[in-house]
Amino acid sequence: MRPSVEGLPEPDLSVHPIGLGRNEQGLAGRRRNQIALLERFGLRSTSRLLEIGCGIGWLAFDLAAHLDDAGSYVGFDVSPEAIEWLRENLAPRLANFRFDLVDVQNPRYRPKSTRRADEVAFPYSDGQFDLACAFGVFMHVERDGIAHYLREIARVLEPGCPALLSFMAVTPNDIEPRNGQRAYVAIAPGVYRNRPDREGWSLAYDDALIRTMIADAGLAVVAFEEGAWHGHRRDAGSETVPGADLYVVSPEHR
Ligand SMILES: C[S@@+](CC[C@H](N)C(=O)[O-])C[C@H]1O[C@@H](n2cnc3c(N)ncnc32)[C@H](O)[C@@H]1O
């Protein structure tokens, strides 16, 4: 049986920023695309889904209509405010949904913590999930943190099951990569940011570096979709977060 989503409180944009800036109109497209991508890559009513960087819970809100009693959703984030809101407002109404706070420092989203992303084990057991996603998260995580998160994804996902991960991925075709008005500036080999004034914001990585980190984590790329942010693309791409690039990865069979 599916939970009743009638009367479910809508996520509150004032609780925590989720990268929309003033462009709240982009939210509807983001929600549609995230669900469509998950459906395309294996979402079922019985999925056991992990969302990394769940923000204020839009995906959880939308998934309430998709998962039944045999399915489950776990989302985690670094924002105490977002997780508190989700625990108070969504968790009591959705039996198989759980929201976890991970204590990880992030210059934009959790400046007060002192723990690095590469120091934190996901609080889940090996092979607990059969689907995972991180939409709009790895633009805000440093290289070592991403490498560690990828290893954790490989651990908590069942072998052969997909994780959908969005990145801003720079390819050799991107001569002067820029997102909107802002150019990406190289800050280390294969690492760029387009807010030189704000450390840890808006990071992009070379596609080759992303693929190396994915392989080193014991994951294989099973699908790739180029995002619309690249200057040479005119269509919408996978449109997760401003047309980010999508890597669908899966743990190799152990
Ligand atoms: C741009 S928002 C996207 C939120 C949500 N995925 C969506 O698409 O609406 C980025 C989210 O990643 C979270 N975040 C940043 N660093 C994180 C980390 N190391 N681990 C988990 N979440 C993180 C932020 O707190 C924020 O909620």
Side-chain angles (χ1 to χ4, degrees), residues 9-18 20 27 30 51 53-61 73 77 79 81-83 85-86 89-90 99:
E10 283 204 353
D12 180 348
L13 282 164
S14 71
V15 167
H16 173 68
I18 54 164
L20 287 173
L27 179 61
R30 185 194 291 193
E51 183 181 16
C54 61
I56 56 172
W58 277 113
L59 184 60
F61 179 88
Y73 166 97
D77 204 285
S79 164
E81 295 78 16
I83 297 302
W85 189 93
L86 290 162
N89 290 281
L90 294 195
F99 301 94

Side-chain angles (χ1 to χ4, degrees), residues 16-20 27 30 34 51-59 76-79 82 102 104-106 108-110 117 122 134-141 149 240-241:
H16 173 68
I18 54 164
L20 287 173
L27 179 61
R30 185 194 291 193
Q34 291 184 357
E51 183 181 16
I52 296 150
C54 61
I56 56 172
W58 277 113
L59 184 60
F76 76 81
D77 204 285
V78 299
S79 164
V102 292
V104 169
Q105 198 270 351
N106 183 281
R108 179 176 188 186
Y109 294 104
R110 180 78 184 274
F122 290 3
F135 291 130
V137 180
F138 291 150
M139 302 74 184
H140 310 288
V141 181
Y149 271 37
T240 49
V241 166

Side-chain angles (χ1 to χ4, degrees), residues 51-210:
E51 183 181 16
I52 296 150
C54 61
I56 56 172
W58 277 113
L59 184 60
F61 179 88
D62 288 330
L63 282 170
H66 288 258
L67 297 177
D68 64 25
D69 286 349
S72 58
Y73 166 97
V74 175
F76 76 81
D77 204 285
V78 299
S79 164
E81 295 78 16
I83 297 302
E84 191 186 327
W85 189 93
L86 290 162
R87 285 181 173 167
E88 270 174 25
N89 290 281
L90 294 195
R93 296 169 171 89
L94 300 171
N96 299 333
F97 283 56
R98 171 179 150 185
F99 301 94
D100 293 322
L101 178 65
V102 292
D103 178 17
V104 169
Q105 198 270 351
N106 183 281
R108 179 176 188 186
Y109 294 104
R110 180 78 184 274
K112 285 193 184 139
S113 173
T114 53
R115 283 172 91 201
R116 295 195 323 257
D118 59 353
E119 294 174 335
V120 175
F122 290 3
Y124 314 115
S125 50
D126 297 1
Q128 183 175 330
F129 301 100
D130 60 16
L131 185 58
C133 62
F135 291 130
V137 180
F138 291 150
M139 302 74 184
H140 310 288
V141 181
E142 306 277 357
R143 176 185 168 157
D144 290 350
I146 292 177
H148 176 70
Y149 271 37
L150 290 170
R151 287 192 293 273
E152 285 295 276
I153 290 166
R155 180 180 69 75
V156 301
L157 251 191
E158 229 176 73
C161 293
L164 281 62
L165 312 174
S166 72
F167 284 90
M168 303 305 270
V170 176
T171 74
N173 291 333
D174 297 309
I175 310 297
E176 289 177 349
R178 59 172 53 247
N179 194 9
Q181 299 296 312
R182 295 178 190 277
Y184 281 101
V185 176
I187 54 169
V191 186
Y192 309 79
R193 74 175 187 228
N194 74 357
R195 294 293 306 249
D197 52 326
R198 308 219 172 166
E199 197 178 325
W201 283 44
S202 293
L203 295 161
Y205 293 90
D206 271 345
D207 170 69
L209 175 58
I210 294 168

